[in-house]
């Protein structure tokens, strides 16, 4: 585990984008070819509810879709509605003599494109990359999948965990709970950055065993404990800082609200919550790289990339105050707040 993290290393942003944007093109295909979204928008302004009704699709994937198309410059907002831009009006509508729809349609039979249409219409995620149609949530209950998935996330965490440890000030904190912490790579870097800090990792079996093995390998078992449990059932009390790193983006808003409420209830008075994730900007116009990544999350999980304004609203509604946004690198960011 590198101590320097991202310091002095080449910027891997283009590599993260190559992986994280992999489903975005299929969403463009699905919307243009199978749903004919842009031709529909040529004749009228539609808000998201109207788009869902006209196309027979669900709200969560519609939100991700329209955020992507806004970031791509294919639509723009007019009040609560969406209208075409010259780009989409010229090249993605059936009535245009310069339409590229036949060109797009030549790839419209791709299996992922057809699956994308199903996700749009049902709101239910597809399988996690393996074609088995096993959803990510149930797949994580398998020890082999949980181990391989956690290892995959560790390779990302090896770059971002040291950066997070420099941004999240725990000098005045004593006990950290890493909620849904995977292997615990972020907790490991935080206790190394702040040696006075005690930490625990809350994970469901079998991922808790993966975390225990990783922490032991790092030689930090004396500072970091493992708590087997479900963040939706009960978050253990007695901690003055909660970390949610790359967790909330896997869940729909109702479940995000449950986790935030559980965190607020369990935190010590004056304690802090730290949400380390990839966030859409407050106006939901980008960044494009995050909007692309949100498609992957929408396709494979129950979640999406939440916007800064959405997270601020959810935190305020839960009772948190002093909300602060801190950009990191490669479009990752930290949103912090305090319990009164």
């Amino acid at each position: 585990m590198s101590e320097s993290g991202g310091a002095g290393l080449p910027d891997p942003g283009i590599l993260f984008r190559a992986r994280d944007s992999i489903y975005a093109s299929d969403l463009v295909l699905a919307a243009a070819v199978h749903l004919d979204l842009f031709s529909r928008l040529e004749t009228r302004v539609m808000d998201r509810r109207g788009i869902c009704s006209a196309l027979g699709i669900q709200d969560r994937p519609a939100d991700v879709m329209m955020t992507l198309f806004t970031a791509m410059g294919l639509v723009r907002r007019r009040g609560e509605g969406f209208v075409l831009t010259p780009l989409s009006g010229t090249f993605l509508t059936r009535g245009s003599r310069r339409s590229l729809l036949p060109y797009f349609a030549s790839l419209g039979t791709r299996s992922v494109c057809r699956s994308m249409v199903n996700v749009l219409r049902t709101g239910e995620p597809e399988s996690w990359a393996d074609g088995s149609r096993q959803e990510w949530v149930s797949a994580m209950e398998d020890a082999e999948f949980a181990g391989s998935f956690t290892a995959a996330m560790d390779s990302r965490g090896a770059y971002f965990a040291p950066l997070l440890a420099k941004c999240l000030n725990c000098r005045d904190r004593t006990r950290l709970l890493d909620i849904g912490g995977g292997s615990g790579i972020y907790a490991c870097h935080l206790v190394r950055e702040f040696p006075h800090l005690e930490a625990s990792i809350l994970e469901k079996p079998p991922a808790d065993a993966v975390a225990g093995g990783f922490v032991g390998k790092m030689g930090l078992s004396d500072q970091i404990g493992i708590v087997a449990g479900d963040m939706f059932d009960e978050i253990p009390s007695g901690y003055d800082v909660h970390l949610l790193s790359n967790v909330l983006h896997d869940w729909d808003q109702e479940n995000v609200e449950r986790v935030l409420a559980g965190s607020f209830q369990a935190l010590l008075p004056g304690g802090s919550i730290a949400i380390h994730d990839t966030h859409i900007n407050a106006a939901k116009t980008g960044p494009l790289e995050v909007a692309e990544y949100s498609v992957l999350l929408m396709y494979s999980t129950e979640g999406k990339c939440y916007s800064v304004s959405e997270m601020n609203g959810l935190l305020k509604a839960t009772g948190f105050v002093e909300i602060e946004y801190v950009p990191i690198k490669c479009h990752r960011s930290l949103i912090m707040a305090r319990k009164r």
Side-chain angles (χ1 to χ4, degrees):
M1 184 167 61
S2 169
E3 294 300 319
S4 60
L9 296 176
D11 186 341
I14 193 169
L15 300 179
F16 284 117
R17 185 178 185 183
R19 186 264 189 193
D20 293 345
S21 67
I22 198 163
Y23 289 114
S25 294
D26 285 289
L27 181 54
V28 177
L29 281 174
V33 175
H34 293 275
L35 302 179
D36 202 19
L37 168 67
F38 300 102
S39 297
R40 293 172 185 266
L41 284 175
E42 188 177 25
T43 58
R44 56 181 169 145
V45 179
M46 285 193 284
D47 62 12
R48 200 164 79 214
R49 180 179 295 181
I51 289 169
C52 289
S53 177
L55 302 184
I57 63 176
Q58 301 300 310
D59 184 69
R60 178 182 68 98
D63 178 31
V64 172
M65 179 177 72
M66 299 313 293
T67 300
L68 173 69
F69 295 164
T70 301
M72 291 179 68
L74 299 179
V75 300
R76 61 181 175 83
R77 294 182 183 274
R78 179 181 291 174
E80 294 297 316
F82 295 92
V83 297
L84 297 184
T85 63
L87 177 62
S88 57
T90 302
F91 296 111
L92 291 177
T93 58
R94 295 196 181 279
S96 172
R97 62 187 180 87
R98 297 187 181 276
S99 177
L100 292 175
L101 284 178
Y103 189 58
F104 276 77
S106 66
L107 294 177
T109 58
R110 282 167 43 85
S111 60
V112 175
C113 180
R114 293 196 301 267
S115 295
M116 186 67 72
V117 175
N118 187 60
V119 172
L120 287 164
R121 287 177 172 159
T122 67
E124 299 296 325
E126 288 285 321
S127 64
W128 182 266
D130 64 0
S132 67
R133 297 191 61 82
Q134 185 180 26
E135 292 181 10
W136 171 80
V137 176
S138 58
M140 281 297 288
E141 296 174 0
D142 176 79
E144 183 178 353
F145 179 86
S148 64
F149 181 84
T150 302
M153 297 305 104
D154 277 352
S155 66
R156 175 182 65 183
Y159 181 79
F160 286 112
L163 300 174
L164 172 65
K166 297 296 184 182
C167 294
L168 179 55
N169 185 357
C170 291
R171 291 185 183 87
D172 297 327
R173 300 300 179 188
T174 58
R175 299 193 72 212
L176 176 139
L177 181 65
D178 189 356
I179 300 171
S183 71
I185 190 169
Y186 292 95
C188 287
H189 275 278
L190 282 163
V191 299
R192 286 187 167 181
E193 182 74 18
F194 303 98
H196 72 281
L197 194 65
E198 294 181 8
S200 297
I201 300 163
L202 176 66
E203 262 297 357
K204 288 177 63 177
D208 62 328
V210 177
F214 184 85
V215 170
K217 179 182 175 182
M218 293 299 103
L220 294 170
S221 297
D222 290 343
Q223 277 183 274
I224 302 176
I226 310 298
V227 179
D230 189 335
M231 64 184 179
F232 295 117
D233 292 338
E234 183 178 2
I235 295 176
S237 59
Y239 297 87
D240 57 3
V241 57
H242 286 170
L243 173 64
L244 287 154
S245 181
N246 299 300
V247 171
L248 297 182
H249 66 213
D250 291 328
W251 303 100
D252 62 17
Q253 182 170 320
E254 181 180 352
N255 279 312
V256 170
E257 290 171 350
R258 288 175 62 192
V259 174
L260 294 180
S263 169
F264 187 84
Q265 182 177 3
L267 267 173
L268 292 172
S272 298
I273 187 172
I275 301 168
H276 174 243
D277 219 315
T278 313
H279 296 105
I280 297 288
N281 65 26
K284 300 184 76 169
T285 59
L288 178 56
E289 292 86 345
V290 182
E292 291 170 337
Y293 180 39
S294 191
V295 179
L296 183 154
L297 296 169
M298 175 269 287
Y299 181 84
S300 300
T301 76
E302 298 175 16
K304 64 174 187 175
C305 289
Y306 288 89
S307 70
V308 174
S309 53
E310 287 171 327
M311 288 309 311
N312 284 356
L314 291 170
L315 287 165
K316 288 178 181 177
T318 306
F320 287 101
V321 296
E322 298 177 13
I323 301 169
E324 180 182 2
Y325 171 82
V326 179
I328 304 182
K329 280 188 176 181
C330 298
H331 302 290
R332 269 59 181 181
S333 51
L334 182 63
I335 295 178
M336 296 175 287
R338 186 177 62 83
K339 177 178 178 176
R340 288 185 186 274

